[in-house]
Amino acid sequence: DAGVIQSPRHEVTEMGQEVTLRCKPISGHNSLFWYRQTMMRGLELLIYFNNNVPIDDSGMPEDRFSAKMPNASFSTLKIQPSEPRDSAVYFCASSYAGRGFSGNTIYFGEGSWLTVV
Amino acid sequence: SQQGEEDPQALSIQEGENATMNCSYKTSINNLQWYRQNSGRGLVHLILIRSNEREKHSGRLRVTLDTSKKSSSLLITASRAADTASYFCATSAYSGAGSYQLTFGKGTKLSVIP
């Protein structure tokens, strides 16, 4: 099992640039999550999808952030334009739930380390 | 807002000693989970305890849950240097629309000194 695959692992970009983070969930999982981790705020849920449909995006900081899941095996998180305060580790995670996220174990990728200068 | 709050924030022990971490939460939960994060890596699931369970074991891990006090503890027995990591509790609670949300605390940073 390849696990959740994220890319890029590390990205350094200049303020104002567009950043796209990518995620391939575990095959067969139907729930996908994007989390952001910082020292100050800990691990925050940004958005989660169930069966490719966004269910809860209340954690998305502002309109500069957007997420898509065009199919069951791929999701993107986009930041446009990026700002220094967006510097964080962004985790994608996936889980299997019969109908909606049922609080089961979720499996994390290794994260995308974003630095905006 | 954070549902689970771990205590202590940091813990340093000698190899071979036991490590105990606590988690408190505020609302009713479906289950509570513990995850470990090694430096520079993603979180890895350790153990899940359901709201109707009081204790669960997995290898050197022992988790307890007291729903009346809204608290849980994670005990790692006979710690090893490889146990050095951050440990997070995550609470699963109903969030409406037939779905649950998993909310993480800020973690306890455990250092095991060889």
Side-chain angles (χ1 to χ4, degrees):
Chain A
D1 189 345
V4 176
I5 300 172
Q6 292 187 245
S7 64
R9 283 299 313 277
H10 299 273
E11 174 134 354
V12 180
T13 190
E14 291 186 347
M15 183 172 66
Q17 296 296 308
E18 177 180 296
V19 174
T20 299
L21 308 178
R22 298 173 179 79
C23 175
K24 177 178 167 53
I26 293 173
S27 177
H29 282 188
N30 60 353
S31 293
L32 182 138
F33 309 83
W34 283 100
Y35 284 89
R36 177 173 69 177
Q37 186 178 39
T38 60
M39 288 292 292
M40 289 296 294
R41 301 174 68 89
L43 201 61
E44 303 172 279
L45 176 65
L46 299 178
I47 185 170
Y48 90 87
F49 295 83
N50 184 251
N51 294 322
N52 312 339
V53 176
I55 301 300
D56 183 356
D57 65 354
S58 59
M60 296 286 263
E62 48 200 272
D63 291 347
R64 297 185 298 106
F65 286 70
S66 63
K68 292 182 180 180
M69 191 164 186
N71 58 61
S73 58
F74 184 66
S75 176
T76 59
L77 178 68
K78 188 175 290 187
I79 308 172
Q80 165 65 18
S82 58
E83 298 182 2
R85 59 193 169 119
D86 301 330
S87 297
V89 186
Y90 291 83
F91 287 103
C92 177
S94 70
S95 176
Y96 175 75
R99 184 172 145 194
F101 177 60
S102 57
N104 293 336
T105 299
I106 63 175
Y107 297 83
F108 283 78
E110 295 285 56
S112 291
W113 297 67
L114 174 65
T115 302
V116 183
V117 297
Chain B
S1 62
Q2 298 289 352
Q3 162 77 308
E5 295 288 338
E6 291 92 342
D7 168 60
Q9 289 187 335
L11 179 62
S12 184
I13 59 173
Q14 295 288 329
E15 200 166 30
E17 293 181 340
N18 295 342
T20 300
M21 288 158 270
N22 303 296
C23 172
S24 60
Y25 58 92
K26 295 175 183 172
T27 62
S28 296
I29 61 171
N30 176 48
N31 66 57
L32 185 144
Q33 303 176 32
W34 286 90
Y35 288 76
R36 182 183 72 205
Q37 183 180 32
N38 286 48
S39 181
R41 307 295 297 274
L43 280 76
V44 175
H45 177 259
L46 293 176
I47 195 165
L48 180 155
I49 186 165
R50 302 192 187 284
S51 60
N52 62 353
E53 296 176 312
R54 292 297 166 257
E55 188 170 313
K56 205 160 184 180
H57 297 256
S58 177
R60 293 184 296 113
L61 305 180
R62 173 180 166 243
V63 170
T64 62
L65 179 65
D66 187 335
T67 52
S68 66
K69 294 181 179 177
K70 291 187 168 57
S71 67
S72 173
S73 67
L74 171 67
L75 168 69
I76 304 174
T77 59
S79 64
R80 305 166 182 167
D83 295 329
T84 294
S86 291
Y87 292 81
F88 295 84
C89 74
T91 51
S92 170
Y94 186 65
S95 60
S99 191
Y100 293 82
Q101 185 165 104
L102 197 62
T103 308
F104 287 82
K106 289 196 173 182
T108 292
K109 192 167 186 176
L110 173 66
S111 299
V112 181
I113 302 165

